[in-house]
């Protein structure tokens, strides 16, 4: 076997075909690597591998077409077949030679993640999982090429047959969808020939075990078929011909059954075994909160997925599968909209998009639109939206908590004073906390509603009337809770400040400038405050929140009726710049106030009648905005959710924040870009071509 392997490897390097394969592979990989990773700064090589896959459908037939067909044509196969070595070892030796040639460009692109990791946060797990999928795809394709080469003595026919088989595998997903949008027995059978779908599964950030088993099992099957093809020809002239032929046919039938059976059995494994999360941020791994909550379910829940099961979202399906595996009370059912287009009308009046979910409990249901599963952001390099976050776990867990809970607190958001409107990310956080909310004007009601667990006063820029302020204070005296967000404004908000004064709190003049360079971004108004320990901040205490343009909060720690907890705080080197209108730089001036300052404060006030009021005061309107959260993905929203959960005392709340993709782009100088382009696109392919031509020319002269 080793002798055959060495012979075939030498033949590749002594022919122009082998060097042409390497040159073309290196050129295409280098080209896409330069475009995606160097110019666009993609932090993984998945896009490179996905782009070159079509090239290998052409290159692999050319590489494998001679491996057996030429020996048969030149009759040199008789020497091998009569040698004291088994057919299996012959096939393995030749196959390993093919695999070694294919491995050279794979190793070439496999080195790049190590180099690129020196320039930024490169997604190693995703890259090498994708590379494994690419290698396994190539290994299967080479096994097909080897089998086709064993069927004929014409290298052209062998190449055409191999290309046809690979092209069919490439198109099979589309063919199945054309046959039936809903799926049937035929499409299920044809899906066994879908080679690209398994490769795509390895590109999304998951090590997908069924894809690995598929490629390995079918590669072994094709190698077995190759041995049977040669074996049958070896004994075709003998008296045992018919027996051996029958034996080969029977063994091939058995191997087909075993191959299919192995793949079917693997698909029955639990989802947490089938798919291993390899993303750096563990996008598809459930948090402990979800595991604990779902495992403790006592009520039955049905999750309807509005999609054909053959064309489902792979990432979402994995998340649903893992959640389902945690509890026997959860049932998952796929409902094809093309078969049952009116199914959603039992739960909502608005048609959800494809792949949306409907989570149904005993008394209520919730629709999770597919558009809310992923978070999008405009990519201004190509003016297209790109996915920046995945919220499958958070949305599903929240919906399960909603449909199984009788505890539905309600909060009210005060309007009518040019308040800052809560953006979608934060209203979505309220919904995920399973809290109902409603906007209302204090002028249109006699008092804050009795069912208000909390109210939100979000950055009013015009003053409250005395009557409105008293309504808020009366609510707080009844044991009401609030999030109060004052804003920096030149207008004096006298009545609004009475609400703060009710907690013996006031705002420090001016705006905070952070003097510690390690606690701000870009300019000293963009503060990363210190996070102090508390039940509200426990889930972000080791992270960072972004609090730009903040004011300081002043309060007395000697109050007998009010307990204070500083949640966010500036450093001792900070100061509040009072004369912002006249200042020309960030330098400290006479009259500026020394820090540190509390930026977010929790206050608990106890009354003689036994009522207790809790408020959280956040002295920057920018903290709870989407633009601020993007700099510390998810942390500002986590803080907002924790504050809500604390104020409403929502025992059944399970709120999992959006998991953000690591989309940090790599940045290279123009010099590096040019050097990489020259090396990968010109020098390496040119060396391969020149070497191959020189060897061919030298052999021709001889």
């Amino acid at each position: 076997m080793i002798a055959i392997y060495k012979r075939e490897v030498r033949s590749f390097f002594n022919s122009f075909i082998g060097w042409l394969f390497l040159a073309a592979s290196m050129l295409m990989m280098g080209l896409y690597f330069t475009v995606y990773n160097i110019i666009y700064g993609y932090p993984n090589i998945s896009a490179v591998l996905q782009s070159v896959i079509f090239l290998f459908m052409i290159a692999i037939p050319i590489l494998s077409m001679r491996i057996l067909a030429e020996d048969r044509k030149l009759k040199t196969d008789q020497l091998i077949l009569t040698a004291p070595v088994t057919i299996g070892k012959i096939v393995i030796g030749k196959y390993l030679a093919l695999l070694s040639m294919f491995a050279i460009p794979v190793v070439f692109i496999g080195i790049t993640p190590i180099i690129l990791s020196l320039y930024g946060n490169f997604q190693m797990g995703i890259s090498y999982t994708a590379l494994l999928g690419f290698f396994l795809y190539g290994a299967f394709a080479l096994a097909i090429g080897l089998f086709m080469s064993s069927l004929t003595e014409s290298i052209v026919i062998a190449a055409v047959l191999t290309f046809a088989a690979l092209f069919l595998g490439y198109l099979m997903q589309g063919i199945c969808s054309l046959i039936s949008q809903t799926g049937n027995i035929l499409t299920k059978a044809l899906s066994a020939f879908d080679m690209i779908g398994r490769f795509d599964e390895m590109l999304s950030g998951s090590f997908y075990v069924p894809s690995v088993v598929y490629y390995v099992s079918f590669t072994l099957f094709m190698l077995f078929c190759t041995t049977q093809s040669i074996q049958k020809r070896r004994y075709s002239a003998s008296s045992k011909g018919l027996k051996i032929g029958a034996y080969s046919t029977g063994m091939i039938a058995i191997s087909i059954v075993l191959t299919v059976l192995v793949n079917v059995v693997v698909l029955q494994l639990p989802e947490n075994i089938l798919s291993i999360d390899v993303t750096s941020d563990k996008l598809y791994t459930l948090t402990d909160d979800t595991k604990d909550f779902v495992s403790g379910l006592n009520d039955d829940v049905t999750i309807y997925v509005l999609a054909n099961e053959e064309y489902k979202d792979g990432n979402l399906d994995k998340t649903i599968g893992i959640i389902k595996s945690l509890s026997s009370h959860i049932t998952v059912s796929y409902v094809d909209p093309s078969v049952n287009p009116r199914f959603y009308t039992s739960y909502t009046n608005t048609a959800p998009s494809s792949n949306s979910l409907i989570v149904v409990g005993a008394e209520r249901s919730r629709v999770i639109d597919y558009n809310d599963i992923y978070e999008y952001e405009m990519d201004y390099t190509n003016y297209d939206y790109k996915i920046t976050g995945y919220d499958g776990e958070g949305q599903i867990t929240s919906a399960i908590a909603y449909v199984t809970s009788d505890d539905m607190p309600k909060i009210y958001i005060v309007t009518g004073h040019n308040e800052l409107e809560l953006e979608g990310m934060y209203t979505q956080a309220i919904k995920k906390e399973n809290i109902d909310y409603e906007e209302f004007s204090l002028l249109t009601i006699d008092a804050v509603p009795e069912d208000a667990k909390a109210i939100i006063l979000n950055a009013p820029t015009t003053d409250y009337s005395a009557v409105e302020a008293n309504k808020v204070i009366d609510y707080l005296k009844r044991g009401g809770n609030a999030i109060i967000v004052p804003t920096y404004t030149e207008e004096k908000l006298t009545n609004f400040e009475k609400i703060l004064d009710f907690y013996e709190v006031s705002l420090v003049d001016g705006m905070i400038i952070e003097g510690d360079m390690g606690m701000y971004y870009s300019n000293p108004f963009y503060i990363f405050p210190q996070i102090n320990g508390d039940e509200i901040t426990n889930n972000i205490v080791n992270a960072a929140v972004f609090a730009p343009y903040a004011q300081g909060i002043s309060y007395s720690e000697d109050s007998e009726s009010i307990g204070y907890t500083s949640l966010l705080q500036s450093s001792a080197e900070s100061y509040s710049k009072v004369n912002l209108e006249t200042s020309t730089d960030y330098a400290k001036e006479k009259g500026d106030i020394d820090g540190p300052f509390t930026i977010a404060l929790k206050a608990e006030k106890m009354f003689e009648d036994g009522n207790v009021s809790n408020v959280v005061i956040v002295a920057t309107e920018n903290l709870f905005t989407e633009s601020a959260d993007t700099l510390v993905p998810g942390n500002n929203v986590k803080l907002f959710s924790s504050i809500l959960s604390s104020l409403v005392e929502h025992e059944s709340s399970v709120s999992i924040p959006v998991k953000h993709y690591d989309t940090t782009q790599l940045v290279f100088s123009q010099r590096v870009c040019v050097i990489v382009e020259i090396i990968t696109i010109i020098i390496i392919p040119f060396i391969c071509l020149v070497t191959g031509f020189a060897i061919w020319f030298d052999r021709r002269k001889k």
Side-chain angles (χ1 to χ4, degrees):
M1 183 181 78
I2 295 176
I4 293 172
Y5 168 75
K6 290 180 178 179
R7 171 183 176 270
E8 295 300 334
V9 170
R10 281 197 300 269
S11 70
F12 281 127
F13 284 109
N14 287 330
S15 69
F16 186 67
I17 291 294
W19 289 102
L20 178 63
F21 170 79
L22 293 179
S25 302
M26 300 291 195
L27 174 63
M28 295 305 295
M29 283 185 168
L31 177 63
Y32 284 109
F33 168 73
T34 301
V35 171
Y36 286 118
N37 296 118
I38 303 300
I39 297 177
Y40 289 161
Y42 281 25
N44 65 69
I45 60 171
S46 298
V48 177
L49 300 174
Q50 195 170 30
S51 299
V52 301
I53 200 77
F54 190 83
L55 165 72
F56 280 88
M57 287 197 303
I58 301 172
I60 284 177
I62 295 174
L63 181 67
S64 63
M65 62 185 182
R66 296 177 180 269
I67 194 76
L68 286 171
E70 191 169 52
D71 285 341
R72 185 173 177 180
K73 180 180 179 180
L74 299 176
K75 307 302 181 183
T76 55
D77 61 329
Q78 298 302 315
L79 297 175
I80 298 175
L81 294 176
T82 56
V85 62
T86 63
I87 298 298
K89 289 183 178 180
I90 294 173
V91 170
I92 292 173
K94 287 179 173 288
Y95 177 71
L96 289 179
L98 287 171
L99 202 60
S100 296
M101 290 298 296
F102 178 70
I104 293 174
V106 172
V107 171
F108 165 72
I109 197 66
I111 296 172
T112 58
I114 300 173
I115 299 173
L116 293 177
S117 66
L118 302 175
Y119 292 87
N121 187 17
F122 199 80
Q123 297 170 352
M124 304 294 280
I126 295 177
S127 295
Y128 282 112
T129 301
L131 189 66
L132 174 63
F134 181 78
F135 180 74
L136 292 175
Y137 167 85
F140 182 25
L142 288 170
I144 293 174
L146 184 67
F147 173 66
M148 296 302 179
S149 185
S150 73
L151 298 177
T152 177
E153 64 180 31
S154 169
I155 59 175
V156 175
I157 293 175
V160 171
L161 289 175
T162 303
F163 175 78
L166 297 183
F167 191 61
L168 184 66
Y170 185 82
L171 295 178
M172 190 52 65
Q173 272 188 335
I175 293 173
C176 289
S177 64
L178 287 175
I179 293 174
S180 173
Q181 291 290 333
T182 59
N184 53 37
I185 296 176
L186 178 59
T187 58
K188 287 183 182 296
L190 290 176
S191 66
F193 300 96
D194 177 16
M195 297 174 62
I196 295 298
R198 273 76 179 189
F199 174 59
D200 290 341
E201 291 280 6
M202 302 286 281
L203 298 177
S204 62
S206 294
F207 181 91
Y208 196 52
V209 175
S211 292
V212 175
V213 172
Y214 171 83
Y215 284 128
V216 172
S217 61
F218 275 92
T219 297
L220 294 175
F221 171 69
M222 294 309 302
L223 293 178
F224 177 76
C225 289
T226 304
T227 62
Q228 293 301 302
S229 173
I230 298 174
Q231 187 88 333
K232 185 175 182 180
R233 193 171 75 252
R234 186 179 192 180
Y235 292 101
S236 60
S238 71
S239 60
K240 298 180 181 179
L242 293 176
K243 294 181 181 179
I244 295 296
Y247 175 75
S248 298
T249 303
M251 289 300 295
I252 289 174
I254 292 173
S255 66
I256 291 174
V257 173
L258 288 176
T259 303
V260 172
L261 185 62
V262 166
N263 282 269
V264 171
V265 169
V266 168
L267 288 173
Q268 307 310 311
L269 295 174
E271 189 64 42
N272 57 342
I273 297 176
L274 285 178
S275 180
I276 301 172
D277 189 353
V278 296
T279 60
S280 57
D281 297 324
K282 298 301 177 184
L283 294 173
Y284 312 117
T285 300
L286 298 186
T287 61
D288 290 338
D289 288 343
T290 295
K291 292 177 182 177
D292 293 341
F293 169 71
V294 175
S295 299
L297 275 180
N298 294 316
D299 300 318
D300 292 336
V301 175
T302 301
I303 302 175
Y304 293 104
V305 186
L306 303 184
N308 183 307
E309 195 167 1
E310 296 292 323
Y311 310 108
K312 58 197 175 187
D313 180 291
N315 295 329
L316 184 57
D317 183 66
K318 292 170 190 174
T319 301
I320 295 172
I322 296 173
I323 290 176
K324 179 181 181 295
S325 69
L326 296 174
S327 175
S328 60
H329 290 282
I330 295 179
T331 303
V332 178
S333 177
Y334 280 83
V335 179
D336 192 337
S338 61
V339 176
N340 194 350
R342 303 289 295 171
F343 178 82
Y344 71 89
T345 57
S346 300
Y347 307 98
T348 179
N349 295 325
T350 306
S353 53
S354 180
N355 272 302
S356 295
L357 311 178
I358 301 177
V359 182
V360 182
E363 296 183 1
R364 59 170 71 100
S365 63
R366 171 176 286 181
V367 176
I368 305 174
D369 194 272
Y370 183 65
N371 294 321
D372 294 328
I373 297 294
Y374 292 95
E375 190 176 88
Y376 299 88
E377 183 179 289
M378 173 65 77
D379 183 355
Y380 290 99
T381 60
N382 55 14
Y383 291 93
D384 195 10
Y385 282 96
K386 63 179 180 180
I387 297 175
T388 58
Y390 175 69
D391 198 23
E393 177 190 353
Q395 293 286 350
I396 296 170
T397 305
S398 175
I400 293 173
Y402 172 76
V403 302
T404 57
S405 173
D406 295 327
D407 180 19
M408 283 295 296
K410 188 170 185 178
I411 64 172
Y412 289 84
I413 303 174
V414 178
T415 61
H417 313 92
N418 292 328
E419 285 88 355
L420 182 67
E421 185 177 354
L422 282 177
E423 296 172 310
M425 188 181 293
Y426 292 89
T427 56
Q428 187 67 27
I430 297 174
K431 182 180 178 182
K432 284 176 66 175
E433 281 286 335
N434 291 324
I435 298 172
D436 193 11
Y437 75 94
E438 181 181 324
E439 295 182 349
F440 77 115
S441 171
L442 290 164
L443 293 175
T444 61
I445 59 174
D446 295 329
V448 175
E450 291 290 337
D451 64 344
K453 286 286 188 178
I455 59 175
I456 298 178
L457 286 57
N458 192 33
T461 55
T462 60
D463 199 14
Y464 284 42
S465 67
V467 174
E468 289 177 302
N470 287 333
K471 289 178 182 178
V472 173
I473 293 172
D474 288 342
Y475 163 72
L476 297 173
K477 286 180 179 178
R478 302 198 309 263
N481 306 308
I483 298 176
I484 303 175
V485 184
T487 184
Y488 184 87
T489 176
E490 295 181 5
E491 183 181 344
K492 185 72 172 175
L493 305 183
T494 305
N495 292 314
F496 179 76
E497 290 174 359
K498 287 181 180 178
I499 301 172
L500 297 177
D501 188 58
F502 181 67
Y503 290 92
E504 301 176 22
V505 167
S506 62
L507 299 178
V508 178
D509 290 340
M511 189 172 291
I512 299 174
I513 285 185
E514 180 55 71
D516 185 343
M517 295 182 63
M519 292 182 63
Y520 69 81
Y521 165 77
S522 182
N523 80 63
F525 285 121
Y526 291 176
I527 303 171
F528 293 118
Q530 174 186 319
I531 302 173
N532 298 321
D534 184 77
E535 63 175 8
I536 288 177
T537 56
N538 281 342
N539 63 339
I540 58 168
V541 71
N542 294 319
V545 296
F546 185 42
Y549 301 114
Q551 292 177 269
I553 301 173
S554 177
Y555 58 96
S556 173
E557 297 183 3
D558 298 328
S559 175
E560 295 182 358
S561 61
I562 306 175
Y564 298 105
T565 303
S566 176
L567 302 176
L568 305 178
Q569 182 177 310
S570 64
S571 75
E573 298 177 32
S574 66
Y575 53 90
S576 184
K577 181 168 280 295
V578 176
N579 298 315
L580 289 171
E581 293 78 11
T582 59
S583 297
T584 57
D585 55 34
Y586 303 125
K588 186 178 179 182
E589 300 174 326
K590 184 179 179 180
D592 290 346
I593 305 169
D594 291 329
F597 303 101
T598 291
I599 295 173
L601 177 72
K602 181 174 76 172
E604 181 181 63
K605 185 167 185 176
M606 293 175 286
F607 302 97
E608 293 180 357
D609 59 3
N611 287 329
V612 179
S613 173
N614 291 278
V615 298
V616 174
I617 301 166
V618 179
T620 166
E621 65 180 273
N622 299 284
L623 183 67
F624 298 141
T625 61
E626 292 182 354
S627 58
D629 187 76
T630 56
L631 204 61
V632 285
N635 290 338
N636 283 19
V637 175
K638 283 183 185 178
L639 177 60
F640 180 74
S641 296
S642 293
I643 293 172
L644 282 176
S645 182
S646 174
L647 293 179
V648 303
E649 298 178 344
H650 197 6
E651 295 181 359
S652 63
S653 172
V654 182
S655 182
I656 311 299
V658 178
K659 295 182 178 180
H660 292 268
Y661 289 99
D662 184 0
T663 56
T664 305
Q665 290 187 321
L666 304 175
V667 179
F668 301 93
S669 65
Q670 185 64 29
R671 181 181 179 185
V672 172
C673 291
V674 172
I675 291 173
V676 171
E677 288 175 11
I678 292 174
I679 293 175
T680 59
I681 300 177
I682 299 176
I683 294 179
I684 294 178
F686 180 75
I687 290 174
C688 292
L689 279 177
V690 169
T691 303
F693 181 79
I695 291 173
W696 171 80
F697 188 75
D698 182 63
R699 289 174 62 86
R700 186 178 181 186
K701 286 196 303 180
K702 294 177 181 179

